């Protein structure tokens, strides 16, 4: 809300539409690739007390998320331009649709990491890392949009740092 005047000054309505479509595609694909695995992981995590079984469960969920998230990327690479021209009028697959697919793929490990933090009752730690990554993402967006005048591309690229930071944290 605080940055709304800044973005409305530097972004055109067309830029806002592009950012909205990229966000929508990433969210829809995120829900499609989830298919309830986070809920199942949460339930199964508490059904076992063995630490090795819990590690296997979280590892399997990570493998699932990365494997399933690759499917839209591969489909996008093969049929993305055709699908996007069929679904969206005046919105090409490259570069924005492709970036939405990559963003969906990058966000997957962070989703399972956040779930794991919640399962281990490490809410504060997850909140701090989410907050830091959010602030960095917003700062990068503002710099790309305002300083480098990248428009919609700057706003879309600004979505990546927070996802990348959480992925790096989840891999540690």
């Amino acid at each position: 809300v605080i940055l709304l005047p800044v973005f409305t000054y530097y972004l055109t309505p067309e830029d806002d539409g592009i950012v909205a479509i990229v966000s929508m595609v990433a969210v829809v694909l995120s829900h499609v690739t989830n298919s309830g695995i986070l809920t199942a992981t949460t339930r199964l995590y508490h059904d076992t007390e063995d630490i090795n079984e819990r590690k296997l469960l979280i590892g399997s969920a990570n493998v699932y998320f990365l494997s399933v998230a690759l499917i839209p990327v591969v489909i996008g690479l093969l049929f993305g331009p055709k699908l996007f021209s069929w679904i969206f009028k005046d919105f090409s697959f490259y570069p924005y649709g492709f970036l939405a697919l990559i963003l969906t793929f990058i966000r997957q490990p962070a989703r399972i990491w956040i779930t794991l933090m919640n399962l281990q009752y490490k809410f504060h730690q997850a909140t701090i890392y989410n907050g830091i990554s959010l602030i960095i993402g917003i700062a990068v967006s503002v710099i790309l949009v305002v300083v480098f005048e990248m428009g919609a591309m700057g706003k879309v690229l600004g979505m990546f740092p927070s996802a990348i930071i959480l992925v790096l944290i989840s891999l540690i």
Side-chain angles (χ1 to χ4, degrees):
V1 176
I2 295 170
L3 293 174
L4 190 59
V6 173
F7 286 130
T8 55
Y9 181 79
Y10 285 97
L11 296 175
T12 66
E14 182 179 289
D15 289 338
D16 286 332
I18 290 169
V19 172
I21 290 174
V22 169
S23 297
M24 178 195 61
V25 168
V27 167
V28 167
L29 288 176
S30 179
H31 287 296
V32 168
T33 58
N34 179 0
S35 70
I37 195 73
L38 289 176
T39 305
T41 301
T42 301
R43 190 179 142 265
L44 293 172
Y45 186 88
H46 289 295
D47 280 351
T48 183
E49 295 295 322
D50 184 37
I51 191 76
N52 290 327
E53 285 186 34
R54 286 183 172 182
K55 286 180 180 180
L56 180 63
L57 174 67
I58 297 299
S60 298
N62 253 334
V63 169
Y64 170 83
F65 267 127
L66 291 174
S67 301
V68 170
L70 272 177
I71 295 169
V73 172
V74 171
I75 291 172
L77 289 173
L78 296 174
F79 307 108
K82 191 76 147 172
L83 286 170
F84 268 64
S85 67
W86 182 64
I87 297 171
F88 302 108
K89 184 177 180 176
D90 299 328
F91 187 82
S92 62
F93 178 71
Y94 292 107
Y96 296 107
F98 181 71
L99 287 174
L101 293 177
I102 299 301
L103 186 62
T104 302
F105 179 75
I106 290 173
R107 285 181 175 168
Q108 298 308 319
R111 292 176 72 199
I112 194 68
W113 178 79
I114 290 168
T115 300
L116 178 61
M117 291 294 101
N118 290 333
L119 289 171
Q120 294 176 344
Y121 303 106
K122 296 180 180 178
F123 306 113
H124 293 93
Q125 184 179 357
T127 302
I128 289 169
Y129 288 135
N130 272 322
I132 291 170
S133 68
L134 177 68
I135 290 168
I136 291 171
I138 290 171
V140 169
S141 288
V142 169
I143 291 168
L144 292 176
V145 170
V146 174
V147 176
F148 294 104
E149 298 179 1
M150 293 179 70
M153 181 60 80
K155 188 82 161 74
V156 169
L157 291 177
M159 296 177 192
F160 281 82
S162 60
I164 291 170
I165 288 168
L166 288 177
V167 165
L168 293 175
I169 291 169
S170 73
L171 296 175
I172 294 176

